[in-house]
Amino acid sequence: MKLRVCLEINGLAEDEFGNKCPAGVQISLGETDKQIDYNELTKNINIEGLLKTMCLDEVVCPEDVKIITPEEYDREYGEDET
């Protein structure tokens, strides 16, 4: 199973009219055969540190970041298979 952490970052993207809107970001942690509880995996994530690592700390505030489930990410931001 793919192990990933998914985020929704408010104001990171723009719609077709130039209005700020949320964007989805996922961080792949590789694959595992272990069953890992997503809430346990994400409960201690340091959003400020994560934004700094992604070089977004000058663009986005930690308050604009929401951890979402992989299912939410796939539904809202999944890539089109065209």
Side-chain angles (χ1 to χ4, degrees), residues 62-82:
E63 299 81 34
D64 294 329
V65 179
K66 175 179 152 186
I67 296 172
I68 60 174
T69 66
E71 294 79 18
E72 288 174 294
Y73 177 88
D74 291 344
R75 185 174 56 250
E76 297 296 323
Y77 305 105
E79 295 181 22
D80 292 330
E81 303 271 335
T82 57

Side-chain angles (χ1 to χ4, degrees), residues 3 7 12 18-19 24 29 31 36-37 39 41 59 63 67 78:
L3 188 59
L7 310 167
L12 187 60
N19 300 312
L29 303 173
E31 296 202 20
I36 297 176
D37 182 89
N39 290 328
L41 176 67
V59 180
E63 299 81 34
I67 296 172

Side-chain angles (χ1 to χ4, degrees), residues 4-33:
R4 57 193 172 139
V5 173
C6 299
L7 310 167
E8 182 176 78
I9 304 177
N10 195 29
L12 187 60
E14 290 184 351
D15 66 14
E16 62 271 12
F17 304 108
N19 300 312
K20 296 282 185 183
C21 61
V25 174
Q26 66 176 334
I27 302 164
S28 176
L29 303 173
E31 296 202 20
T32 184
D33 293 330

Side-chain angles (χ1 to χ4, degrees), residues 28-72:
S28 176
L29 303 173
E31 296 202 20
T32 184
D33 293 330
K34 288 178 134 183
Q35 191 69 8
I36 297 176
D37 182 89
Y38 190 73
N39 290 328
E40 285 295 313
L41 176 67
T42 59
K43 75 177 182 180
N44 292 318
I45 289 179
N46 178 332
I47 298 295
E48 288 181 33
L50 193 57
L51 288 173
K52 188 170 184 84
T53 299
M54 294 188 307
C55 300
L56 292 174
D57 57 318
E58 298 291 324
V59 180
V60 178
C61 297
E63 299 81 34
D64 294 329
V65 179
K66 175 179 152 186
I67 296 172
I68 60 174
T69 66
E71 294 79 18
E72 288 174 294

